[in-house]
Amino acid sequence: QQPVQSPQAVILREGEDAVINCSSSKALYSVHWYRQKHGEAPVFLMILLKGGEQKGHEKISASFNEKKQQSSLYLTASQLSYSGTYFCGTYNFNKFYFGSGTKLNVKP
Amino acid sequence: KAGVTQTPRYLIKTRGQQVTLSCSPISGHRSVSWYQQTPGQGLQFLFEYFSETQRNKGNFPGRFSGRQFSNSRSEMNVSTLELGDSALYLCASSFAGVNTGELFFGEGSRLTVL
C-alpha cells in the first residue's frame, strides 16, 4: 500500500522550518527519504531501519515510529536549495512503495 | 566513481510495439531496481534484481519484465505498449538493495507511446 504523505505542498521563507509526514497502513521494515528537483533524478536523503530512531543530515533529520508506522522528515532553517519534491519510500512484505510526494518551495 | 547510466534517454514508440531499456549500475552494486514515474501515479516500484535474481516485485502486469546480467547491468522490457505506458522510467542501483540500502538513481528513460 502506498504510504500517505502530508502536506502535499509547503511554501516557506528561507530560515523557516518544515515537517513532512509519511504514514503507512502496513507494518514497515524501513523508510527512505528522497528529494527530487524538477527535471532531475531523486537524490537519497536518509534511510531509517529501527523504530523511534532519529537520523540527521546537516539540518535535515528524520524519525521513524515503528509502532505507529509513521515517519517524519524535519527541515530546519530551510535554504533555497531545499526546494523540490520530497518522497518517502517504504519497504514491507517484499514490496517497495513511494508516497505521492510533498512539494516544498523555499522563497528568499 | 561513475554514476548510474540509463539508455536510451528518450524514445518514441507506437501502441503494440515493445521496448527494452538498459541500466548500468554503479560498480560494485549488485541491486538494480526499476520505477515508473508519471504525473498522475507518481513514483511506482516495478521490480528489483539482486545478483541476477528478481528479489522484489511491484504491482505491474506481466507485460513489464526485466533481467539482470552477471555484470549487474539490467534491462527492462515492456511488451504490447499501451498509451498509459508513457512515462519516465528510472532505475536505481544499490549495494544492499531496496530494503535497507541507499538508492542511486539514473537520469531516466523517457518513453512516449503514440
Side-chain angles (χ1 to χ4, degrees), chain A residues 60-92:
Chain A
I60 300 175
S61 61
S63 63
F64 177 22
N65 188 320
E66 189 178 341
K67 288 184 179 178
K68 291 187 176 180
Q69 296 153 196
Q70 293 176 347
S71 177
S72 295
L73 186 71
Y74 305 94
L75 304 159
T76 58
S78 59
Q79 306 167 15
L80 294 176
S81 61
Y82 287 4
S83 292
T85 301
Y86 289 76
F87 294 97
C88 68
T90 59
Y91 179 83
N92 53 33

PDB file of all heavy atoms in Angstrom, chain A residues 60-92:
ATOM      1  N   ILE A  60      18.765  18.507   8.171  1.00  0.00           N
ATOM      2  CA  ILE A  60      17.645  17.659   7.838  1.00  0.00           C
ATOM      3  C   ILE A  60      17.728  16.403   8.695  1.00  0.00           C
ATOM      4  O   ILE A  60      18.761  15.743   8.720  1.00  0.00           O
ATOM      5  CB  ILE A  60      17.655  17.284   6.340  1.00  0.00           C
ATOM      6  CG1 ILE A  60      17.562  18.541   5.476  1.00  0.00           C
ATOM      7  CG2 ILE A  60      16.516  16.333   6.008  1.00  0.00           C
ATOM      8  CD1 ILE A  60      17.677  18.275   3.985  1.00  0.00           C
ATOM      9  N   SER A  61      16.673  16.090   9.392  1.00  0.00           N
ATOM     10  CA  SER A  61      16.656  14.902  10.229  1.00  0.00           C
ATOM     11  C   SER A  61      15.329  14.188  10.051  1.00  0.00           C
ATOM     12  O   SER A  61      14.390  14.729   9.459  1.00  0.00           O
ATOM     13  CB  SER A  61      16.873  15.259  11.701  1.00  0.00           C
ATOM     14  OG  SER A  61      15.830  16.107  12.152  1.00  0.00           O
ATOM     15  N   ALA A  62      15.245  12.974  10.546  1.00  0.00           N
ATOM     16  CA  ALA A  62      14.017  12.203  10.396  1.00  0.00           C
ATOM     17  C   ALA A  62      13.847  11.265  11.567  1.00  0.00           C
ATOM     18  O   ALA A  62      14.817  10.877  12.219  1.00  0.00           O
ATOM     19  CB  ALA A  62      14.025  11.413   9.084  1.00  0.00           C
ATOM     20  N   SER A  63      12.605  10.914  11.821  1.00  0.00           N
ATOM     21  CA  SER A  63      12.280   9.950  12.861  1.00  0.00           C
ATOM     22  C   SER A  63      11.406   8.859  12.269  1.00  0.00           C
ATOM     23  O   SER A  63      10.763   9.038  11.240  1.00  0.00           O
ATOM     24  CB  SER A  63      11.545  10.638  14.013  1.00  0.00           C
ATOM     25  OG  SER A  63      10.301  11.158  13.560  1.00  0.00           O
ATOM     26  N   PHE A  64      11.386   7.724  12.949  1.00  0.00           N
ATOM     27  CA  PHE A  64      10.613   6.578  12.470  1.00  0.00           C
ATOM     28  C   PHE A  64       9.962   5.929  13.679  1.00  0.00           C
ATOM     29  O   PHE A  64      10.652   5.392  14.539  1.00  0.00           O
ATOM     30  CB  PHE A  64      11.541   5.601  11.756  1.00  0.00           C
ATOM     31  CG  PHE A  64      10.898   4.328  11.263  1.00  0.00           C
ATOM     32  CD1 PHE A  64       9.544   4.238  11.026  1.00  0.00           C
ATOM     33  CD2 PHE A  64      11.687   3.215  11.024  1.00  0.00           C
ATOM     34  CE1 PHE A  64       8.971   3.057  10.570  1.00  0.00           C
ATOM     35  CE2 PHE A  64      11.124   2.031  10.553  1.00  0.00           C
ATOM     36  CZ  PHE A  64       9.771   1.951  10.333  1.00  0.00           C
ATOM     37  N   ASN A  65       8.651   6.007  13.749  1.00  0.00           N
ATOM     38  CA  ASN A  65       7.906   5.357  14.817  1.00  0.00           C
ATOM     39  C   ASN A  65       7.327   4.065  14.271  1.00  0.00           C
ATOM     40  O   ASN A  65       6.316   4.061  13.569  1.00  0.00           O
ATOM     41  CB  ASN A  65       6.793   6.282  15.332  1.00  0.00           C
ATOM     42  CG  ASN A  65       6.118   5.746  16.574  1.00  0.00           C
ATOM     43  OD1 ASN A  65       5.878   4.538  16.683  1.00  0.00           O
ATOM     44  ND2 ASN A  65       5.822   6.619  17.505  1.00  0.00           N
ATOM     45  N   GLU A  66       8.010   2.975  14.603  1.00  0.00           N
ATOM     46  CA  GLU A  66       7.629   1.681  14.032  1.00  0.00           C
ATOM     47  C   GLU A  66       6.231   1.251  14.471  1.00  0.00           C
ATOM     48  O   GLU A  66       5.453   0.724  13.687  1.00  0.00           O
ATOM     49  CB  GLU A  66       8.649   0.627  14.447  1.00  0.00           C
ATOM     50  CG  GLU A  66       8.490  -0.697  13.745  1.00  0.00           C
ATOM     51  CD  GLU A  66       9.570  -1.684  14.172  1.00  0.00           C
ATOM     52  OE1 GLU A  66      10.593  -1.230  14.707  1.00  0.00           O
ATOM     53  OE2 GLU A  66       9.368  -2.885  13.972  1.00  0.00           O
ATOM     54  N   LYS A  67       5.891   1.531  15.722  1.00  0.00           N
ATOM     55  CA  LYS A  67       4.572   1.118  16.238  1.00  0.00           C
ATOM     56  C   LYS A  67       3.447   1.859  15.533  1.00  0.00           C
ATOM     57  O   LYS A  67       2.400   1.288  15.238  1.00  0.00           O
ATOM     58  CB  LYS A  67       4.507   1.360  17.738  1.00  0.00           C
ATOM     59  CG  LYS A  67       5.342   0.382  18.554  1.00  0.00           C
ATOM     60  CD  LYS A  67       5.160   0.615  20.038  1.00  0.00           C
ATOM     61  CE  LYS A  67       5.989  -0.398  20.841  1.00  0.00           C
ATOM     62  NZ  LYS A  67       5.860  -0.164  22.309  1.00  0.00           N
ATOM     63  N   LYS A  68       3.669   3.113  15.271  1.00  0.00           N
ATOM     64  CA  LYS A  68       2.627   3.908  14.603  1.00  0.00           C
ATOM     65  C   LYS A  68       2.742   3.835  13.083  1.00  0.00           C
ATOM     66  O   LYS A  68       1.913   4.394  12.365  1.00  0.00           O
ATOM     67  CB  LYS A  68       2.713   5.362  15.044  1.00  0.00           C
ATOM     68  CG  LYS A  68       2.311   5.596  16.486  1.00  0.00           C
ATOM     69  CD  LYS A  68       2.255   7.097  16.800  1.00  0.00           C
ATOM     70  CE  LYS A  68       1.767   7.330  18.225  1.00  0.00           C
ATOM     71  NZ  LYS A  68       1.698   8.789  18.537  1.00  0.00           N
ATOM     72  N   GLN A  69       3.787   3.179  12.603  1.00  0.00           N
ATOM     73  CA  GLN A  69       4.008   3.048  11.165  1.00  0.00           C
ATOM     74  C   GLN A  69       4.094   4.418  10.502  1.00  0.00           C
ATOM     75  O   GLN A  69       3.487   4.659   9.448  1.00  0.00           O
ATOM     76  CB  GLN A  69       2.897   2.198  10.525  1.00  0.00           C
ATOM     77  CG  GLN A  69       2.905   0.778  11.030  1.00  0.00           C
ATOM     78  CD  GLN A  69       1.540   0.099  10.972  1.00  0.00           C
ATOM     79  OE1 GLN A  69       1.345  -0.922  11.610  1.00  0.00           O
ATOM     80  NE2 GLN A  69       0.612   0.623  10.204  1.00  0.00           N
ATOM     81  N   GLN A  70       4.821   5.296  11.142  1.00  0.00           N
ATOM     82  CA  GLN A  70       4.944   6.661  10.660  1.00  0.00           C
ATOM     83  C   GLN A  70       6.394   7.115  10.668  1.00  0.00           C
ATOM     84  O   GLN A  70       7.189   6.678  11.502  1.00  0.00           O
ATOM     85  CB  GLN A  70       4.142   7.609  11.560  1.00  0.00           C
ATOM     86  CG  GLN A  70       2.644   7.433  11.511  1.00  0.00           C
ATOM     87  CD  GLN A  70       1.937   8.336  12.507  1.00  0.00           C
ATOM     88  OE1 GLN A  70       2.558   8.916  13.389  1.00  0.00           O
ATOM     89  NE2 GLN A  70       0.630   8.465  12.353  1.00  0.00           N
ATOM     90  N   SER A  71       6.690   8.020   9.744  1.00  0.00           N
ATOM     91  CA  SER A  71       7.994   8.664   9.732  1.00  0.00           C
ATOM     92  C   SER A  71       7.781  10.145   9.457  1.00  0.00           C
ATOM     93  O   SER A  71       6.827  10.530   8.779  1.00  0.00           O
ATOM     94  CB  SER A  71       8.892   8.050   8.661  1.00  0.00           C
ATOM     95  OG  SER A  71      10.140   8.724   8.604  1.00  0.00           O
ATOM     96  N   SER A  72       8.659  10.954  10.018  1.00  0.00           N
ATOM     97  CA  SER A  72       8.597  12.390   9.774  1.00  0.00           C
ATOM     98  C   SER A  72       9.968  12.904   9.371  1.00  0.00           C
ATOM     99  O   SER A  72      10.988  12.455   9.909  1.00  0.00           O
ATOM    100  CB  SER A  72       8.118  13.138  11.030  1.00  0.00           C
ATOM    101  OG  SER A  72       6.786  12.792  11.341  1.00  0.00           O
ATOM    102  N   LEU A  73       9.978  13.821   8.433  1.00  0.00           N
ATOM    103  CA  LEU A  73      11.216  14.463   7.968  1.00  0.00           C
ATOM    104  C   LEU A  73      11.192  15.899   8.464  1.00  0.00           C
ATOM    105  O   LEU A  73      10.200  16.620   8.262  1.00  0.00           O
ATOM    106  CB  LEU A  73      11.292  14.428   6.442  1.00  0.00           C
ATOM    107  CG  LEU A  73      12.588  14.939   5.812  1.00  0.00           C
ATOM    108  CD1 LEU A  73      13.723  13.940   6.068  1.00  0.00           C
ATOM    109  CD2 LEU A  73      12.410  15.157   4.313  1.00  0.00           C
ATOM    110  N   TYR A  74      12.254  16.315   9.148  1.00  0.00           N
ATOM    111  CA  TYR A  74      12.342  17.644   9.725  1.00  0.00           C
ATOM    112  C   TYR A  74      13.384  18.463   8.966  1.00  0.00           C
ATOM    113  O   TYR A  74      14.544  18.057   8.863  1.00  0.00           O
ATOM    114  CB  TYR A  74      12.750  17.556  11.199  1.00  0.00           C
ATOM    115  CG  TYR A  74      11.848  16.662  12.015  1.00  0.00           C
ATOM    116  CD1 TYR A  74      12.170  15.325  12.211  1.00  0.00           C
ATOM    117  CD2 TYR A  74      10.677  17.145  12.583  1.00  0.00           C
ATOM    118  CE1 TYR A  74      11.352  14.483  12.945  1.00  0.00           C
ATOM    119  CE2 TYR A  74       9.846  16.315  13.329  1.00  0.00           C
ATOM    120  CZ  TYR A  74      10.187  14.984  13.503  1.00  0.00           C
ATOM    121  OH  TYR A  74       9.365  14.159  14.228  1.00  0.00           O
ATOM    122  N   LEU A  75      12.943  19.604   8.455  1.00  0.00           N
ATOM    123  CA  LEU A  75      13.837  20.509   7.741  1.00  0.00           C
ATOM    124  C   LEU A  75      13.942  21.788   8.575  1.00  0.00           C
ATOM    125  O   LEU A  75      12.945  22.491   8.772  1.00  0.00           O
ATOM    126  CB  LEU A  75      13.279  20.839   6.351  1.00  0.00           C
ATOM    127  CG  LEU A  75      12.993  19.627   5.456  1.00  0.00           C
ATOM    128  CD1 LEU A  75      12.014  19.978   4.357  1.00  0.00           C
ATOM    129  CD2 LEU A  75      14.279  19.119   4.861  1.00  0.00           C
ATOM    130  N   THR A  76      15.112  22.060   9.093  1.00  0.00           N
ATOM    131  CA  THR A  76      15.281  23.230   9.941  1.00  0.00           C
ATOM    132  C   THR A  76      16.089  24.302   9.218  1.00  0.00           C
ATOM    133  O   THR A  76      16.982  23.991   8.430  1.00  0.00           O
ATOM    134  CB  THR A  76      15.995  22.856  11.251  1.00  0.00           C
ATOM    135  OG1 THR A  76      17.268  22.273  10.943  1.00  0.00           O
ATOM    136  CG2 THR A  76      15.177  21.857  12.037  1.00  0.00           C
ATOM    137  N   ALA A  77      15.726  25.537   9.505  1.00  0.00           N
ATOM    138  CA  ALA A  77      16.420  26.683   8.905  1.00  0.00           C
ATOM    139  C   ALA A  77      16.579  26.479   7.409  1.00  0.00           C
ATOM    140  O   ALA A  77      17.707  26.458   6.875  1.00  0.00           O
ATOM    141  CB  ALA A  77      17.781  26.879   9.572  1.00  0.00           C
ATOM    142  N   SER A  78      15.452  26.304   6.722  1.00  0.00           N
ATOM    143  CA  SER A  78      15.468  25.918   5.315  1.00  0.00           C
ATOM    144  C   SER A  78      16.268  26.882   4.445  1.00  0.00           C
ATOM    145  O   SER A  78      16.344  28.090   4.711  1.00  0.00           O
ATOM    146  CB  SER A  78      14.039  25.800   4.791  1.00  0.00           C
ATOM    147  OG  SER A  78      13.363  27.023   4.937  1.00  0.00           O
ATOM    148  N   GLN A  79      16.866  26.317   3.415  1.00  0.00           N
ATOM    149  CA  GLN A  79      17.646  27.069   2.443  1.00  0.00           C
ATOM    150  C   GLN A  79      16.966  26.967   1.089  1.00  0.00           C
ATOM    151  O   GLN A  79      16.149  26.077   0.855  1.00  0.00           O
ATOM    152  CB  GLN A  79      19.063  26.473   2.367  1.00  0.00           C
ATOM    153  CG  GLN A  79      19.764  26.378   3.696  1.00  0.00           C
ATOM    154  CD  GLN A  79      21.009  25.509   3.633  1.00  0.00           C
ATOM    155  OE1 GLN A  79      21.512  25.194   2.554  1.00  0.00           O
ATOM    156  NE2 GLN A  79      21.530  25.134   4.797  1.00  0.00           N
ATOM    157  N   LEU A  80      17.323  27.884   0.186  1.00  0.00           N
ATOM    158  CA  LEU A  80      16.742  27.849  -1.158  1.00  0.00           C
ATOM    159  C   LEU A  80      16.956  26.499  -1.825  1.00  0.00           C
ATOM    160  O   LEU A  80      16.106  26.001  -2.570  1.00  0.00           O
ATOM    161  CB  LEU A  80      17.342  28.962  -2.021  1.00  0.00           C
ATOM    162  CG  LEU A  80      17.023  30.391  -1.602  1.00  0.00           C
ATOM    163  CD1 LEU A  80      17.764  31.375  -2.493  1.00  0.00           C
ATOM    164  CD2 LEU A  80      15.534  30.662  -1.624  1.00  0.00           C
ATOM    165  N   SER A  81      18.102  25.882  -1.527  1.00  0.00           N
ATOM    166  CA  SER A  81      18.451  24.604  -2.163  1.00  0.00           C
ATOM    167  C   SER A  81      17.562  23.452  -1.690  1.00  0.00           C
ATOM    168  O   SER A  81      17.584  22.374  -2.278  1.00  0.00           O
ATOM    169  CB  SER A  81      19.916  24.255  -1.873  1.00  0.00           C
ATOM    170  OG  SER A  81      20.115  24.113  -0.479  1.00  0.00           O
ATOM    171  N   TYR A  82      16.770  23.674  -0.665  1.00  0.00           N
ATOM    172  CA  TYR A  82      15.876  22.625  -0.182  1.00  0.00           C
ATOM    173  C   TYR A  82      14.634  22.474  -1.052  1.00  0.00           C
ATOM    174  O   TYR A  82      13.887  21.503  -0.909  1.00  0.00           O
ATOM    175  CB  TYR A  82      15.419  22.910   1.252  1.00  0.00           C
ATOM    176  CG  TYR A  82      16.470  22.692   2.316  1.00  0.00           C
ATOM    177  CD1 TYR A  82      17.773  22.340   1.995  1.00  0.00           C
ATOM    178  CD2 TYR A  82      16.151  22.844   3.656  1.00  0.00           C
ATOM    179  CE1 TYR A  82      18.731  22.149   2.963  1.00  0.00           C
ATOM    180  CE2 TYR A  82      17.095  22.646   4.649  1.00  0.00           C
ATOM    181  CZ  TYR A  82      18.381  22.310   4.302  1.00  0.00           C
ATOM    182  OH  TYR A  82      19.323  22.123   5.277  1.00  0.00           O
ATOM    183  N   SER A  83      14.392  23.414  -1.930  1.00  0.00           N
ATOM    184  CA  SER A  83      13.205  23.337  -2.788  1.00  0.00           C
ATOM    185  C   SER A  83      13.238  22.074  -3.641  1.00  0.00           C
ATOM    186  O   SER A  83      14.279  21.671  -4.138  1.00  0.00           O
ATOM    187  CB  SER A  83      13.129  24.570  -3.694  1.00  0.00           C
ATOM    188  OG  SER A  83      12.878  25.731  -2.950  1.00  0.00           O
ATOM    189  N   GLY A  84      12.078  21.479  -3.788  1.00  0.00           N
ATOM    190  CA  GLY A  84      11.969  20.253  -4.568  1.00  0.00           C
ATOM    191  C   GLY A  84      10.791  19.444  -4.068  1.00  0.00           C
ATOM    192  O   GLY A  84      10.031  19.892  -3.204  1.00  0.00           O
ATOM    193  N   THR A  85      10.655  18.240  -4.598  1.00  0.00           N
ATOM    194  CA  THR A  85       9.607  17.340  -4.140  1.00  0.00           C
ATOM    195  C   THR A  85      10.238  16.247  -3.287  1.00  0.00           C
ATOM    196  O   THR A  85      11.200  15.614  -3.702  1.00  0.00           O
ATOM    197  CB  THR A  85       8.858  16.714  -5.328  1.00  0.00           C
ATOM    198  OG1 THR A  85       8.289  17.755  -6.114  1.00  0.00           O
ATOM    199  CG2 THR A  85       7.741  15.794  -4.839  1.00  0.00           C
ATOM    200  N   TYR A  86       9.685  16.056  -2.110  1.00  0.00           N
ATOM    201  CA  TYR A  86      10.198  15.069  -1.165  1.00  0.00           C
ATOM    202  C   TYR A  86       9.316  13.829  -1.196  1.00  0.00           C
ATOM    203  O   TYR A  86       8.094  13.921  -1.113  1.00  0.00           O
ATOM    204  CB  TYR A  86      10.239  15.659   0.242  1.00  0.00           C
ATOM    205  CG  TYR A  86      11.314  16.712   0.400  1.00  0.00           C
ATOM    206  CD1 TYR A  86      11.143  17.991  -0.123  1.00  0.00           C
ATOM    207  CD2 TYR A  86      12.527  16.416   1.035  1.00  0.00           C
ATOM    208  CE1 TYR A  86      12.140  18.948  -0.016  1.00  0.00           C
ATOM    209  CE2 TYR A  86      13.517  17.364   1.153  1.00  0.00           C
ATOM    210  CZ  TYR A  86      13.317  18.630   0.623  1.00  0.00           C
ATOM    211  OH  TYR A  86      14.315  19.580   0.737  1.00  0.00           O
ATOM    212  N   PHE A  87       9.964  12.690  -1.310  1.00  0.00           N
ATOM    213  CA  PHE A  87       9.247  11.416  -1.326  1.00  0.00           C
ATOM    214  C   PHE A  87       9.717  10.543  -0.166  1.00  0.00           C
ATOM    215  O   PHE A  87      10.911  10.446   0.103  1.00  0.00           O
ATOM    216  CB  PHE A  87       9.525  10.636  -2.614  1.00  0.00           C
ATOM    217  CG  PHE A  87       9.014  11.269  -3.861  1.00  0.00           C
ATOM    218  CD1 PHE A  87       9.847  12.045  -4.656  1.00  0.00           C
ATOM    219  CD2 PHE A  87       7.701  11.080  -4.266  1.00  0.00           C
ATOM    220  CE1 PHE A  87       9.390  12.630  -5.824  1.00  0.00           C
ATOM    221  CE2 PHE A  87       7.228  11.653  -5.434  1.00  0.00           C
ATOM    222  CZ  PHE A  87       8.074  12.430  -6.215  1.00  0.00           C
ATOM    223  N   CYS A  88       8.769   9.912   0.484  1.00  0.00           N
ATOM    224  CA  CYS A  88       9.154   8.846   1.389  1.00  0.00           C
ATOM    225  C   CYS A  88       8.962   7.527   0.637  1.00  0.00           C
ATOM    226  O   CYS A  88       8.116   7.411  -0.249  1.00  0.00           O
ATOM    227  CB  CYS A  88       8.335   8.863   2.681  1.00  0.00           C
ATOM    228  SG  CYS A  88       6.585   8.456   2.507  1.00  0.00           S
ATOM    229  N   GLY A  89       9.761   6.552   0.979  1.00  0.00           N
ATOM    230  CA  GLY A  89       9.653   5.227   0.389  1.00  0.00           C
ATOM    231  C   GLY A  89       9.592   4.212   1.512  1.00  0.00           C
ATOM    232  O   GLY A  89      10.354   4.315   2.475  1.00  0.00           O
ATOM    233  N   THR A  90       8.692   3.281   1.423  1.00  0.00           N
ATOM    234  CA  THR A  90       8.537   2.289   2.488  1.00  0.00           C
ATOM    235  C   THR A  90       8.711   0.885   1.942  1.00  0.00           C
ATOM    236  O   THR A  90       8.286   0.581   0.824  1.00  0.00           O
ATOM    237  CB  THR A  90       7.160   2.399   3.155  1.00  0.00           C
ATOM    238  OG1 THR A  90       6.137   2.206   2.157  1.00  0.00           O
ATOM    239  CG2 THR A  90       6.960   3.751   3.796  1.00  0.00           C
ATOM    240  N   TYR A  91       9.354   0.050   2.734  1.00  0.00           N
ATOM    241  CA  TYR A  91       9.566  -1.337   2.333  1.00  0.00           C
ATOM    242  C   TYR A  91       8.890  -2.257   3.333  1.00  0.00           C
ATOM    243  O   TYR A  91       9.111  -2.145   4.554  1.00  0.00           O
ATOM    244  CB  TYR A  91      11.058  -1.656   2.275  1.00  0.00           C
ATOM    245  CG  TYR A  91      11.345  -3.086   1.880  1.00  0.00           C
ATOM    246  CD1 TYR A  91      11.353  -3.461   0.549  1.00  0.00           C
ATOM    247  CD2 TYR A  91      11.567  -4.070   2.852  1.00  0.00           C
ATOM    248  CE1 TYR A  91      11.590  -4.783   0.183  1.00  0.00           C
ATOM    249  CE2 TYR A  91      11.808  -5.384   2.489  1.00  0.00           C
ATOM    250  CZ  TYR A  91      11.816  -5.735   1.158  1.00  0.00           C
ATOM    251  OH  TYR A  91      12.047  -7.043   0.801  1.00  0.00           O
ATOM    252  N   ASN A  92       8.029  -3.143   2.806  1.00  0.00           N
ATOM    253  CA  ASN A  92       7.443  -4.179   3.646  1.00  0.00           C
ATOM    254  C   ASN A  92       6.942  -5.312   2.771  1.00  0.00           C
ATOM    255  O   ASN A  92       6.569  -5.099   1.626  1.00  0.00           O
ATOM    256  CB  ASN A  92       6.305  -3.625   4.519  1.00  0.00           C
ATOM    257  CG  ASN A  92       5.251  -2.898   3.709  1.00  0.00           C
ATOM    258  OD1 ASN A  92       4.969  -3.240   2.571  1.00  0.00           O
ATOM    259  ND2 ASN A  92       4.671  -1.873   4.275  1.00  0.00           N
TER     260      ASN A  92
END
